[in-house]
C-alpha cells in the first residue's frame, strides 16, 4: 500500500458538490485539494463496466495531465428492485445534466411503480493514482430506502430521495456533518485515509 506523502492532490471531478464534500473531509490532513475544473483537465470517457474501472480511468487521466496524485470517485445509486440500476449510469440516467435530477428521480419512481421493495444503496469506488501509473482502490457503501416525493435541499444528485438506514431524513435533509460521517463516499474515504494517510 503506497502512502500519500504529497500535500496537494487533484480531485478528478467537475462536480462542485463532490469537491466541497472531499475538501471538508480531507481538511484535517492539511492536503490541498485542487479540482479538475480549476486545472482545466479533460473529462475522459467513462467506458468501464464497474465503479472501480470508471474511477480508475478518471484518476489515471487526471494524474498524468496534472502531474500530481489524483483522487477520483465513481459513485451511484443502486436500486435493488431494478437489479441495482441505475448504478454506474446514475449520472446519465434520463440525462440529469440536461433535464435535471428532479426529472431523473421522477423517472426512477415511475420505473419502480408499485413495487413494495424500495431498498437501495449508494456505492462509491475511490481510486488514488500517481503520475507513474500506480493506483490504490477502495469501495464504500451505505444502505437505505427510497422515498417519493424528494425531500430536502442539501446535498446533490439523488440525495433528496435516499433515506439512509437508521435515519428518518433524506441525505438532502441531514446536516453535512452527519452525511459526511455515514455516506458511501465517507466510508470509502475512511478506508483511503487509514491506508494512505494513516
Amino acid at each position: 500500500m503506497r502512502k500519500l506523502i504529497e500535500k496537494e492532490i487533484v480531485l478528478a471531478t467537475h462536480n462542485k458538490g463532490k469537491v466541497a464534500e472531499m475538501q471538508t473531509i480531507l481538511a484535517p490532513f492539511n492536503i490541498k485539494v485542487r479540482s479538475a475544473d480549476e486545472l482545466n483537465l479533460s473529462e475522459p470517457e467513462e467506458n468501464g463496466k464497474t465503479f472501480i474501472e470508471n474511477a480508475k480511468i478518471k484518476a489515471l487521466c487526471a494524474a498524468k495531465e496534472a502531474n500530481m496524485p489524483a483522487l477520483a470517485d465513481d459513485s451511484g445509486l443502486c436500486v435493488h428492485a431494478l437489479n441495482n440500476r441505475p448504478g454506474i449510469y446514475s449520472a446519465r440516467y434520463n440525462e440529469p445534466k440536461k433535464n435535471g435530477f428532479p426529472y431523473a428521480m421522477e423517472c426512477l419512481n415511475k420505473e419502480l411503480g408499485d413495487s413494495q421493495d424500495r431498498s437501495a444503496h449508494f456505492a462509491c469506488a475511490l481510486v488514488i493514482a500517481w503520475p507513474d501509473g500506480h493506483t490504490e482502490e477502495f469501495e464504500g457503501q451505505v444502505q437505505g430506502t427510497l422515498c417519493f416525493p424528494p425531500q430536502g435541499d442539501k446535498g446533490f444528485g439523488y440525495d433528496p430521495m435516499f433515506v439512509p438506514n437508521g435515519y428518518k431524513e433524506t441525505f438532502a435533509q441531514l446536516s453535512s456533518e452527519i452525511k459526511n460521517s455515514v455516506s458511501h463516499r465517507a466510508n470509502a474515504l475512511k478506508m483511503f485515509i487509514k491506508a494512505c494517510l494513516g
Side-chain angles (χ1 to χ4, degrees):
M1 189 66 66
R2 185 184 287 187
K3 297 287 185 186
L4 180 70
I5 53 171
E6 295 84 355
K7 287 298 176 191
E8 187 174 54
I9 62 170
V10 58
L11 195 55
T13 182
H14 293 263
N15 181 320
K16 289 183 173 66
K18 280 187 190 179
V19 174
E21 214 171 90
M22 296 274 207
Q23 282 174 329
T24 302
I25 292 167
L26 293 176
F29 299 92
N30 297 317
I31 293 171
K32 185 176 181 185
V33 178
R34 311 279 300 274
S35 72
D37 250 355
E38 188 188 338
L39 299 173
N40 293 314
L41 302 183
S42 57
E43 287 188 77
E45 186 187 351
E46 295 176 40
N47 51 14
K49 291 184 169 58
T50 64
F51 290 116
I52 281 284
E53 284 177 17
N54 281 335
K56 207 167 182 177
I57 289 167
K58 291 186 275 193
L60 284 167
C61 178
K64 282 171 183 160
E65 270 190 46
N67 197 32
M68 67 170 78
L71 194 59
D73 95 314
D74 196 56
S75 50
L77 180 66
C78 303
V79 182
H80 303 163
L82 301 179
N83 294 317
N84 287 334
R85 286 188 307 106
I88 61 169
Y89 303 105
S90 295
R92 290 161 273 179
Y93 177 79
N94 285 295
E95 298 189 72
K97 280 185 182 172
K98 185 173 87 177
N99 301 318
F101 271 101
Y103 177 72
M105 288 186 275
E106 192 179 322
C107 292
L108 202 56
N109 188 60
K110 275 185 187 159
E111 203 178 339
L112 270 169
D114 55 7
S115 170
Q116 294 300 302
D117 184 4
R118 293 269 157 168
S119 65
H121 70 271
F122 268 123
C124 172
L126 194 65
V127 173
I128 176 106
W130 282 263
D132 66 1
H134 182 85
T135 62
E136 298 289 354
E137 304 163 8
F138 310 92
E139 287 187 90
Q141 289 188 2
V142 59
Q143 303 290 330
T145 308
L146 299 180
C147 70
F148 201 83
Q151 297 167 36
D153 56 7
K154 300 188 187 97
F156 55 93
Y158 299 94
D159 284 356
M161 71 183 302
F162 184 82
V163 180
N165 287 353
Y167 293 86
K168 291 189 169 71
E169 295 175 304
T170 69
F171 264 170
Q173 292 172 300
L174 291 168
S175 69
S176 59
E177 288 79 19
I178 292 174
K179 185 191 171 189
N180 288 346
S181 68
V182 301
S183 78
H184 50 308
R185 195 165 294 111
N187 289 332
L189 271 165
K190 281 171 196 165
M191 293 177 212
F192 158 69
I193 287 165
K194 186 177 178 183
C196 297
L197 301 178

